[in-house]
Amino acid sequence: ETGVTQTPRHLVMGMTNKKSLKCEQHLGHNAMYWYKQSAKKPLELMFVYSLEERVENNSVPSRFSPECPNSSHLFLHLHTLQPEDSALYLCASSPSPPDRGYEQYFGPGTRLTVT
Amino acid sequence: AQSVAQPEDQVNVAEGNPLTVKCTYSVSGNPYLFWYVQYPNRGLQFLLKYITGDNLVKGSYGFEAEFNKSQTSFHLKKPSALVSDSALYFCAVRDTGANNLFFGTGTRLTVIP
């Protein structure tokens, strides 16, 4: 175990649903990340939070809404998704600031299927 | 602009033989370089990194990688492959002062018994 947990592990949702992904880290880190992993494509960085402030938003559609209430928890709120949003969503954490040479610790991911 | 290339989608190697997984990168400043491994239904696990200093970096599970600035490469190596090394390997780079960590598309390593 890496010290980063994600729930749920699997999620199937319709395009009109609203759901949330949860990430929790027990490593004392101050930076947290959301990534999207699709088959045959590089991992796509979606959001970066450092000390609970969003420091990076990589042109992610507004149907994805992150929330970082404290340094241990990160959420990804989902609404009106499209089938192409189906992917593995990975959460990661690292010491802060994120622009240094710290490695990231990843959770097991949430496999999202949009029907 | 930052980018990472892993030229091989698949690498097959016999158990006990040395293995190499290739990675080249492009950054505008000085690179921070990482290797991660992903087993089925799992997140990515950190293997090793190059930040500065000695070009040969040793990491977990007997893996090592060599930073070559002139060739902009950071190939992952292991002297003797194990069947349990079979997994998906990702190279990643961060430019100095940047928040983004750019990943390659991954190389699937299969170690044949």
Side-chain angles (χ1 to χ4, degrees), chain A residues 54-81:
Chain A
R54 192 189 310 178
V55 297
E56 201 77 40
N57 178 349
N58 281 342
S59 303
V60 179
S62 59
R63 57 185 183 269
F64 295 91
S65 175
E67 178 189 2
C68 187
N70 55 62
S71 59
S72 299
H73 293 86
L74 185 65
F75 295 89
L76 188 63
H77 304 300
L78 316 171
H79 64 97
T80 58
L81 294 190

Side-chain angles (χ1 to χ4, degrees), chain A residues 2-68:
Chain A
T2 62
V4 181
T5 59
Q6 290 186 244
T7 54
R9 293 293 307 274
H10 300 271
L11 178 62
V12 179
M13 60 185 290
M15 290 190 284
T16 59
N17 290 159
K18 289 184 180 181
K19 296 286 184 183
S20 295
L21 310 185
K22 179 183 177 182
C23 175
E24 184 173 1
Q25 59 94 3
H26 309 275
L27 301 169
H29 292 162
N30 286 313
M32 296 188 78
Y33 312 78
W34 279 116
Y35 287 89
K36 177 183 179 182
Q37 185 178 23
S38 305
K40 306 291 186 184
K41 294 176 67 175
L43 265 72
E44 301 172 50
L45 179 64
M46 301 174 72
F47 302 103
V48 181
Y49 277 82
S50 178
L51 300 171
E52 299 154 41
E53 286 192 24
R54 192 189 310 178
V55 297
E56 201 77 40
N57 178 349
N58 281 342
S59 303
V60 179
S62 59
R63 57 185 183 269
F64 295 91
S65 175
E67 178 189 2
C68 187

